[in-house]
Amino acid sequence: MREFPTDYNDHAGGSAAPTRRRKRRRHRLLIFLAVFTLLAGTGLLAGGYYFDRVPTPTDLKLPESTTVYYADGRTAMAKLGAENRTIVPYDQMNDSAKQAIVAAEDRTFWTNKGIDFSGVLRAAWSNLTGGQRQGASTITQQYARVAADLRGVTYSRKLREAVIAWKLGDKYSKKEILGFYLNTVPFGRGAYGIEAAAQTYFGKTVRRDAPPQQQLTQAEAMVLCAMVKQPEADPADPEGSPGYDPRRNALAKQNSVDRWNYIRDGMVKLGYLTPEQAANLAYPDTVKEIDPNAGQTGLDGPNGLVVNHVLAELRQTEQFRGKPDEIIRDGGYKIVTTIDKRVQEAAEAAADIRRDTAPEAVRDQPKNWQAALVAVEPGTGRVLGYFGGSSGTGADYAGWYYDENGHASGFGQHPPGSSFKVYDLAAAVQDKISVKQHFDSPETKEFPESGRTKDSSAGPIRNAEHAACQPDCALWEATVASLNVTYFELTEKLGTAKVIDMAKQAGVDSMWATVKGNPQPQRVDLRDKSAEESAKRFSTEVGIGQYGISVQDHANGMATFAAGGKRAEAHFVRSVTKGDDKLYTEQLEQSDIGLNEEAINQLDWTLRRVKAAKLDNGWDSAGKTGTWQAGQSTTQNVHTWMVGWTGALAAAVWLGTSDGKPLKTKDGSYQVFGSNAPAPIWRQFMEQATAAMKLDPDKYRFSDPKFPDDAPPPATSQPAPTTSSRTASPRPTPSETPSDSSPSPSPSDPPTPPPTGSPSLSPLATLSPTRTRGPR
């Protein structure tokens, strides 16, 4: 095969130089004459305007697809943008498209001066004589047309093509011009440039460093280059003039085959193929079916919800605040998220309960069952895994965000039940209330100060569980047994504001309050209010998990405790770059929420004794279950939770229903609790995610509390695993380890939508089941 010359301006030398200069002067004279004639014919005598104002490639800002990546910065998660364009430098392309486009569009490209002089003169003469408009152009002129955003076959366009092409030929090499063209020309189906076309039509790449089986072949490149002649069907006659996309209709297929044969003949004439090679080359029938959303990928499955949060987060940054979303989508940016592909795969495998990878306890259950899971890295706030639902365009059950119109969207708030008691316990140990301190813990108890008496409509506080220690239980025993009476008394003792403040500091940014006269709970932003002010919106029931919070906030709260009481903001974006320019970088900041080492150790020590939190892979782990009942029922539940952490990873899992009805198993049982539904999801996820991250559990051991001024900790029927005396903080950051790039599982069918049929909510409200009687 013929190789491309290195520089097509340096073949003349010695005595040939004067001849070359004479030819160049002659060519310029021809251009001048053509331009002058065309200007004179159109009355555009101010020709200097065209010479001074035409854009050159260095002035050109090409719209380009934005790609969203996993945390490794190499594995693409999604592609955004109205125009599907990915620029590949000329020297990184294989030869398939370079040869095919020359054979298709401009067979003298490597030897001509970039301008079809006769074409320009014909256009000028036609202009003077009233003849037909002229069409064909060189590749250089075609690029000039796109660069100047010129449309329609007009005489002034022909002139401007010639002027820009003249400039291009003087300033750039042939290779550079061909690279500009291949990265710019439309190929149909919304694909601009050869790389986008290769991906859209064949699922391949033109990059020469890709594995051979993934690279665009010559025969495939010829199909693509045939489409340049007419990328899309004529809107006025789509059937009669369908273009060259072989999947559009039979006529388009025949057009494509005929054009492909024409290109093949040109490849032989130019020496790119031998006659024998051409005879053995077959037209490929592997063109993909037409997909109207081909320019955007990765948005239909669970990652589509991640992208929603990524865009919402970027809208709040200085670089993108107040700008339309098109600036991000069509900006050609590289957005690296915090999502670790290995963790995300584990999250989807466990929480997407329609898959056969989900735990057996939640697999094949009724269609209205729905789970959500969020995992956050302790110490950094990076969201490593996020599953809010299996449909990227459906309801988000794990969180909420502001869309591009400033409206709050999502369905991610649910009453946390007893899983909220983690914040009560943290507030207690912060106030130096030992987990060994005893509380009166009968089956039921009245609390007149909070309006919970036998004469009140809600009645006294009732335990949903039992413990051997009753009626006199240590706080750690009441935690393991999840006794509501104990925790209601603890909340009264601490004060509602103290509990809310602990949740706020740990990571709960929003809670949903009941408002008289409003059928839906209203979101209260805890960040812009003092705890005392927020406490006016909530009752003592906050301590037993009556008021909704999001799965994402709950996961961030757990990450704060996992990091030894150091809170970091949960976030989805690590960096945004374009070329060599870094536009945005995450700001990793921590705030100390006021828990000393002894408080953290007592928290870990107590919550690792919760049976549902025990992992079977050797990791130290702590956690808490939660269940919230449906309406006034004492036998039916509508929300179940499991939250917790290791030193390397924190996660929150919610399992409920998509329509707000009570959880009912496929066997007709209502015995669905935090311990037997979300807990298996949480354990499977934590075990698979920590294994995939390949971290050493010995670097993340919990430390035993000292219980100052007290006797040794009591023995229990569920002793805590043996712990080392190693201090847990500071713990290493797990996401600094490299990610793998194994393929992600396919998403399953989307969940049943919320009762209203829409995932949207007002800035202060969201959908929620009816207020319920008590947690478990």
Side-chain angles (χ1 to χ4, degrees), residues 222-281:
M222 290 158 62
V223 173
L224 297 181
C225 293
M227 296 185 205
V228 173
K229 186 174 179 65
Q230 187 186 342
E232 299 287 355
D234 184 349
D237 185 17
E239 294 299 318
S241 182
Y244 293 78
D245 186 335
R247 291 292 189 179
R248 195 171 299 279
N249 62 25
L251 179 56
K253 172 68 177 290
Q254 189 58 53
N255 288 346
S256 177
V257 172
D258 292 345
R259 185 72 173 167
W260 187 89
N261 288 327
Y262 167 79
I263 296 172
R264 182 181 59 181
D265 293 342
M267 299 275 281
V268 174
K269 291 178 181 178
L270 292 171
Y272 298 144
L273 292 176
T274 66
E276 183 181 5
Q277 289 172 327
N280 292 327
L281 204 62

Coordinates of all heavy atoms in Angstrom, one line a residue, residues 222-281:
M222 N -15.1 2.5 4.6 CA -15.7 2.9 3.3 C -17.2 3.1 3.4 O -17.7 4.0 2.8 CB -15.3 1.8 2.3 CG -13.8 1.8 2.0 SD -13.3 0.2 1.3 CE -14.2 0.1 -0.2
V223 N -17.9 2.3 4.3 CA -19.3 2.5 4.5 C -19.5 3.9 5.1 O -20.4 4.7 4.7 CB -19.9 1.4 5.4 CG1 -21.3 1.8 5.8 CG2 -19.8 0.1 4.7
L224 N -18.7 4.3 6.1 CA -18.9 5.5 6.8 C -18.6 6.7 5.8 O -19.3 7.7 5.8 CB -18.0 5.6 8.0 CG -18.2 4.6 9.1 CD1 -17.2 4.8 10.3 CD2 -19.6 4.7 9.6
C225 N -17.5 6.6 5.1 CA -17.1 7.7 4.2 C -18.1 7.9 3.0 O -18.2 9.0 2.5 CB -15.7 7.5 3.7 SG -14.5 7.6 5.0
A226 N -18.8 6.8 2.7 CA -19.9 6.9 1.7 C -21.0 7.8 2.2 O -21.7 8.5 1.4 CB -20.5 5.6 1.4
M227 N -21.2 7.9 3.5 CA -22.3 8.7 4.0 C -22.1 10.2 4.0 O -23.0 11.0 4.1 CB -22.6 8.2 5.5 CG -23.1 6.8 5.6 SD -23.5 6.4 7.3 CE -23.3 4.6 7.2
V228 N -20.8 10.6 3.9 CA -20.5 12.0 3.9 C -21.2 12.7 2.7 O -21.6 13.9 2.9 CB -19.0 12.2 3.8 CG1 -18.6 13.7 3.6 CG2 -18.3 11.6 5.1
K229 N -21.4 12.0 1.6 CA -22.1 12.6 0.5 C -23.5 13.2 0.8 O -23.9 14.2 0.4 CB -22.2 11.6 -0.7 CG -22.7 12.2 -2.0 CD -22.6 11.2 -3.1 CE -23.2 11.7 -4.4 NZ -22.3 12.8 -4.9
Q230 N -24.2 12.4 1.7 CA -25.5 12.8 2.2 C -25.8 12.2 3.5 O -26.4 11.1 3.5 CB -26.7 12.5 1.2 CG -28.0 13.1 1.6 CD -29.2 12.7 0.7 OE1 -29.0 12.2 -0.4 NE2 -30.4 12.8 1.2
P231 N -25.4 12.8 4.6 CA -25.5 12.1 5.9 C -26.9 11.8 6.4 O -27.1 10.8 7.0 CB -24.8 13.1 6.9 CG -24.0 14.0 6.0 CD -24.7 14.1 4.7
E232 N -27.8 12.6 6.0 CA -29.2 12.4 6.5 C -30.2 12.4 5.3 O -29.9 12.9 4.2 CB -29.6 13.5 7.5 CG -28.8 13.6 8.7 CD -29.0 12.5 9.7 OE1 -29.9 11.7 9.5 OE2 -28.3 12.4 10.7
A233 N -31.3 11.8 5.5 CA -32.4 11.9 4.5 C -32.8 13.3 4.3 O -32.8 14.1 5.1 CB -33.5 11.0 4.9
D234 N -33.3 13.5 3.0 CA -33.9 14.8 2.7 C -35.2 15.0 3.4 O -36.1 14.2 3.1 CB -34.0 14.9 1.2 CG -34.5 16.3 0.7 OD1 -35.0 17.1 1.6 OD2 -34.6 16.5 -0.5
P235 N -35.4 15.9 4.3 CA -36.6 16.0 5.0 C -37.8 16.2 4.1 O -38.9 15.8 4.4 CB -36.4 17.3 5.9 CG -34.9 17.5 6.0 CD -34.4 17.0 4.7
A236 N -37.6 16.8 2.9 CA -38.7 17.0 2.0 C -39.1 15.7 1.3 O -40.2 15.6 0.8 CB -38.4 18.1 1.0
D237 N -38.2 14.8 1.2 CA -38.4 13.5 0.5 C -37.6 12.4 1.1 O -36.7 11.9 0.5 CB -38.1 13.7 -1.0 CG -38.5 12.4 -1.8 OD1 -39.3 11.6 -1.3 OD2 -38.0 12.3 -3.0
P238 N -37.9 12.0 2.4 CA -37.1 11.0 3.0 C -37.1 9.7 2.4 O -36.1 8.9 2.5 CB -37.7 11.0 4.5 CG -39.1 11.5 4.3 CD -39.0 12.5 3.2
E239 N -38.1 9.3 1.7 CA -38.2 8.0 1.1 C -37.4 8.0 -0.3 O -36.7 7.1 -0.6 CB -39.6 7.6 0.9 CG -40.4 7.3 2.2 CD -39.7 6.2 3.0 OE1 -39.3 5.2 2.4 OE2 -39.6 6.3 4.2
G240 N -37.6 9.1 -1.0 CA -37.0 9.1 -2.3 C -35.5 9.6 -2.3 O -34.8 9.2 -3.2
S241 N -35.2 10.3 -1.3 CA -33.8 10.8 -1.2 C -33.3 10.5 0.3 O -33.1 11.4 1.1 CB -33.7 12.3 -1.5 OG -32.3 12.7 -1.4
P242 N -33.1 9.2 0.6 CA -32.8 8.8 2.0 C -31.4 8.9 2.4 O -31.1 8.7 3.6 CB -33.3 7.3 2.0 CG -32.9 6.8 0.6 CD -33.2 8.0 -0.3
G243 N -30.5 9.2 1.5 CA -29.1 9.3 1.8 C -28.4 8.0 1.7 O -28.8 7.1 0.9
Y244 N -27.4 7.7 2.5 CA -26.5 6.6 2.4 C -26.4 5.7 3.6 O -25.5 4.9 3.7 CB -25.1 7.0 1.9 CG -25.1 7.6 0.5 CD1 -25.6 8.9 0.3 CD2 -24.7 6.9 -0.6 CE1 -25.6 9.5 -0.9 CE2 -24.7 7.5 -1.9 CZ -25.1 8.8 -2.0 OH -25.2 9.3 -3.3
D245 N -27.3 5.9 4.6 CA -27.3 5.0 5.7 C -28.0 3.7 5.4 O -29.2 3.7 5.1 CB -28.0 5.7 6.9 CG -28.0 5.0 8.2 OD1 -27.8 3.7 8.2 OD2 -28.1 5.6 9.3
P246 N -27.3 2.6 5.3 CA -27.9 1.4 4.9 C -29.0 0.8 5.7 O -29.7 -0.1 5.3 CB -26.7 0.4 4.9 CG -25.7 1.0 5.9 CD -25.9 2.4 5.8
R247 N -29.2 1.3 6.9 CA -30.3 0.9 7.8 C -31.5 1.7 7.6 O -32.5 1.4 8.3 CB -29.8 0.9 9.2 CG -28.7 -0.1 9.6 CD -29.3 -1.5 9.5 NE -28.3 -2.5 10.1 CZ -28.6 -3.8 10.1 NH1 -29.7 -4.3 9.7 NH2 -27.7 -4.6 10.6
R248 N -31.5 2.7 6.8 CA -32.7 3.6 6.7 C -33.8 3.0 5.9 O -34.9 2.9 6.3 CB -32.2 5.0 6.1 CG -33.3 6.1 6.3 CD -32.7 7.4 5.9 NE -31.6 7.8 6.7 CZ -31.7 8.3 7.9 NH1 -32.8 8.5 8.5 NH2 -30.6 8.6 8.6
N249 N -33.5 2.5 4.7 CA -34.4 1.8 3.8 C -33.6 1.1 2.7 O -32.4 1.2 2.6 CB -35.5 2.7 3.3 CG -35.0 3.8 2.4 OD1 -34.0 3.7 1.8 ND2 -35.8 4.9 2.3
A250 N -34.4 0.4 1.8 CA -33.7 -0.4 0.8 C -33.0 0.5 -0.2 O -31.9 0.2 -0.7 CB -34.7 -1.2 0.0
L251 N -33.5 1.7 -0.6 CA -32.9 2.6 -1.5 C -31.6 3.1 -0.9 O -30.5 3.2 -1.6 CB -33.8 3.8 -1.9 CG -33.2 4.8 -2.8 CD1 -32.7 4.2 -4.1 CD2 -34.3 5.9 -3.1
A252 N -31.6 3.5 0.4 CA -30.4 4.0 1.1 C -29.3 2.9 1.1 O -28.1 3.2 0.9 CB -30.7 4.4 2.5
K253 N -29.8 1.6 1.3 CA -28.8 0.5 1.3 C -28.2 0.4 -0.1 O -26.9 0.2 -0.2 CB -29.5 -0.8 1.7 CG -28.7 -2.0 1.5 CD -27.6 -2.1 2.5 CE -26.8 -3.4 2.4 NZ -27.5 -4.6 2.9
Q254 N -29.0 0.5 -1.2 CA -28.4 0.4 -2.5 C -27.5 1.6 -2.8 O -26.4 1.4 -3.4 CB -29.5 0.4 -3.6 CG -29.0 0.1 -5.0 CD -28.3 -1.2 -5.0 OE1 -28.8 -2.3 -4.6 NE2 -27.0 -1.2 -5.5
N255 N -27.8 2.8 -2.3 CA -27.0 4.0 -2.5 C -25.6 3.7 -1.8 O -24.6 4.0 -2.3 CB -27.6 5.2 -1.8 CG -28.8 5.7 -2.6 OD1 -29.0 5.3 -3.8 ND2 -29.6 6.6 -2.0
S256 N -25.7 3.1 -0.6 CA -24.5 2.9 0.2 C -23.6 1.9 -0.6 O -22.4 2.1 -0.6 CB -24.8 2.4 1.6 OG -23.7 2.0 2.3
V257 N -24.2 0.8 -1.1 CA -23.4 -0.2 -1.8 C -22.7 0.4 -3.0 O -21.6 0.1 -3.3 CB -24.3 -1.4 -2.1 CG1 -23.5 -2.4 -3.0 CG2 -24.8 -2.1 -0.8
D258 N -23.5 1.1 -3.8 CA -23.0 1.8 -5.0 C -21.8 2.7 -4.7 O -20.8 2.7 -5.3 CB -24.1 2.5 -5.7 CG -25.1 1.6 -6.3 OD1 -24.9 0.4 -6.4 OD2 -26.2 2.1 -6.7
R259 N -22.0 3.5 -3.6 CA -21.0 4.5 -3.2 C -19.7 3.7 -2.7 O -18.6 4.1 -2.9 CB -21.5 5.4 -2.2 CG -20.6 6.5 -1.7 CD -20.4 7.6 -2.8 NE -19.7 8.7 -2.3 CZ -19.2 9.7 -3.1 NH1 -19.3 9.6 -4.4 NH2 -18.5 10.7 -2.6
W260 N -20.0 2.6 -2.0 CA -18.9 1.8 -1.4 C -18.1 1.2 -2.6 O -16.8 1.2 -2.5 CB -19.5 0.7 -0.6 CG -18.5 -0.2 0.2 CD1 -18.1 0.1 1.4 CD2 -17.9 -1.4 -0.2 NE1 -17.2 -0.9 1.8 CE2 -17.1 -1.8 0.8 CE3 -18.0 -2.2 -1.4 CZ2 -16.4 -3.0 0.7 CZ3 -17.3 -3.3 -1.5 CH2 -16.5 -3.8 -0.4
N261 N -18.7 0.8 -3.6 CA -18.0 0.2 -4.8 C -17.2 1.3 -5.5 O -16.0 1.1 -5.9 CB -19.0 -0.4 -5.8 CG -19.5 -1.7 -5.3 OD1 -18.9 -2.4 -4.6 ND2 -20.8 -2.0 -5.7
Y262 N -17.7 2.6 -5.5 CA -17.0 3.7 -6.1 C -15.8 4.0 -5.3 O -14.7 4.2 -5.8 CB -17.9 4.9 -6.1 CG -17.2 6.2 -6.4 CD1 -16.9 6.6 -7.7 CD2 -16.9 7.1 -5.3 CE1 -16.2 7.8 -7.9 CE2 -16.3 8.3 -5.6 CZ -15.9 8.6 -6.9 OH -15.3 9.8 -7.1
I263 N -15.9 3.9 -4.0 CA -14.7 4.2 -3.1 C -13.7 3.1 -3.2 O -12.5 3.3 -3.3 CB -15.2 4.3 -1.6 CG1 -16.1 5.5 -1.5 CG2 -14.0 4.4 -0.7 CD1 -16.8 5.6 -0.1
R264 N -14.2 1.9 -3.3 CA -13.2 0.7 -3.5 C -12.4 0.9 -4.8 O -11.2 0.7 -4.8 CB -14.0 -0.6 -3.6 CG -13.1 -1.8 -3.7 CD -13.9 -3.1 -3.7 NE -14.8 -3.1 -4.9 CZ -15.7 -4.1 -5.1 NH1 -15.7 -5.1 -4.4 NH2 -16.5 -4.0 -6.2
D265 N -13.1 1.3 -5.9 CA -12.3 1.6 -7.1 C -11.3 2.7 -6.9 O -10.2 2.6 -7.5 CB -13.3 1.9 -8.2 CG -14.2 0.8 -8.6 OD1 -13.9 -0.4 -8.3 OD2 -15.3 1.0 -9.3
G266 N -11.7 3.7 -6.2 CA -10.7 4.8 -6.0 C -9.6 4.3 -5.1 O -8.4 4.8 -5.3
M267 N -9.8 3.4 -4.2 CA -8.7 2.9 -3.3 C -7.7 2.2 -4.2 O -6.5 2.2 -3.9 CB -9.3 2.0 -2.3 CG -10.3 2.6 -1.3 SD -9.5 3.4 0.1 CE -9.1 2.0 1.1
V268 N -8.2 1.5 -5.2 CA -7.3 0.8 -6.1 C -6.5 1.8 -6.9 O -5.2 1.6 -7.1 CB -8.1 -0.2 -7.0 CG1 -7.1 -0.8 -8.1 CG2 -8.7 -1.3 -6.2
K269 N -7.2 2.8 -7.5 CA -6.5 3.8 -8.3 C -5.4 4.5 -7.6 O -4.4 4.9 -8.1 CB -7.5 4.7 -8.9 CG -8.4 4.1 -10.0 CD -9.5 5.1 -10.5 CE -10.4 4.4 -11.5 NZ -11.4 5.3 -12.0
L270 N -5.7 4.8 -6.3 CA -4.7 5.5 -5.5 C -3.7 4.6 -4.9 O -2.7 5.1 -4.2 CB -5.5 6.2 -4.4 CG -6.4 7.4 -4.8 CD1 -7.3 7.8 -3.6 CD2 -5.6 8.5 -5.4
G271 N -3.8 3.3 -5.1 CA -2.7 2.4 -4.6 C -2.9 2.0 -3.1 O -2.0 1.4 -2.6
Y272 N -4.1 2.3 -2.6 CA -4.3 1.9 -1.2 C -4.7 0.4 -1.1 O -4.5 -0.2 -0.1 CB -5.4 2.7 -0.6 CG -5.1 4.2 -0.5 CD1 -6.1 5.1 -0.7 CD2 -3.8 4.7 -0.2 CE1 -5.9 6.5 -0.6 CE2 -3.6 6.0 -0.1 CZ -4.6 6.9 -0.3 OH -4.3 8.3 -0.2
L273 N -5.2 -0.1 -2.2 CA -5.6 -1.5 -2.3 C -5.1 -2.1 -3.6 O -5.1 -1.3 -4.6 CB -7.1 -1.7 -2.3 CG -7.9 -1.4 -1.0 CD1 -9.4 -1.6 -1.2 CD2 -7.4 -2.3 0.1
T274 N -4.6 -3.3 -3.6 CA -4.3 -4.0 -4.9 C -5.6 -4.5 -5.5 O -6.6 -4.7 -4.7 CB -3.4 -5.2 -4.6 OG1 -4.0 -6.2 -3.9 CG2 -2.1 -4.7 -3.9
P275 N -5.7 -4.7 -6.8 CA -6.9 -5.3 -7.4 C -7.3 -6.6 -6.7 O -8.5 -6.8 -6.5 CB -6.5 -5.5 -8.8 CG -5.4 -4.5 -9.1 CD -4.7 -4.4 -7.8
E276 N -6.4 -7.4 -6.3 CA -6.7 -8.7 -5.6 C -7.4 -8.4 -4.2 O -8.4 -9.0 -3.9 CB -5.5 -9.5 -5.5 CG -5.8 -10.9 -4.8 CD -4.5 -11.7 -4.7 OE1 -3.4 -11.2 -5.0 OE2 -4.7 -12.9 -4.2
Q277 N -6.8 -7.4 -3.5 CA -7.3 -7.1 -2.2 C -8.8 -6.5 -2.3 O -9.6 -6.8 -1.6 CB -6.4 -6.1 -1.5 CG -5.1 -6.7 -1.0 CD -4.2 -5.6 -0.5 OE1 -4.2 -4.4 -1.0 NE2 -3.4 -5.9 0.5
A278 N -8.9 -5.7 -3.4 CA -10.2 -5.1 -3.6 C -11.3 -6.2 -3.9 O -12.4 -6.1 -3.5 CB -10.2 -4.1 -4.7
A279 N -10.9 -7.2 -4.7 CA -11.8 -8.2 -5.1 C -12.2 -9.1 -3.9 O -13.3 -9.6 -3.9 CB -11.1 -9.1 -6.2
N280 N -11.3 -9.2 -2.9 CA -11.6 -10.0 -1.8 C -12.3 -9.2 -0.6 O -12.7 -9.8 0.4 CB -10.4 -10.6 -1.2 CG -9.8 -11.6 -2.2 OD1 -10.5 -12.3 -2.9 ND2 -8.5 -11.8 -2.2
L281 N -12.5 -7.9 -0.9 CA -13.1 -7.1 0.2 C -14.7 -7.1 0.0 O -15.2 -6.9 -1.0 CB -12.7 -5.6 0.0 CG -12.7 -4.7 1.2 CD1 -11.8 -5.3 2.3 CD2 -12.2 -3.3 0.8

